[in-house]
Amino acid sequence: MPFYTSKSGGSGIGLALCRDIIEAHGGSISLRNNANGLEVRLQLPARQANSL
């Protein structure tokens, strides 16, 4: 949820901004709570060798 934060000095745009950047590059981000804490999974497409 953009602009939500539990930090006193936070703006709440960190994960929303990360999502926008990752999706702009053809990837995805997912978050999941588990027994050990938060799991963050980023998926980005592989760069092709001749794409420079």
Side-chain angles (χ1 to χ4, degrees), residues 10-22:
S11 61
I13 62 169
L15 287 174
L17 182 58
C18 289
R19 183 195 62 216
D20 289 348
I21 292 169
I22 291 167

Side-chain angles (χ1 to χ4, degrees), residues 14-48:
L15 287 174
L17 182 58
C18 289
R19 183 195 62 216
D20 289 348
I21 292 169
I22 291 167
E23 289 179 353
H25 290 280
S28 64
I29 183 172
S30 64
L31 308 171
R32 184 174 76 173
N33 286 320
N34 61 37
N36 297 319
L38 178 66
E39 175 183 329
V40 179
R41 187 170 292 195
L42 306 176
Q43 293 183 310
L44 293 167
R47 185 182 80 178
Q48 295 186 8

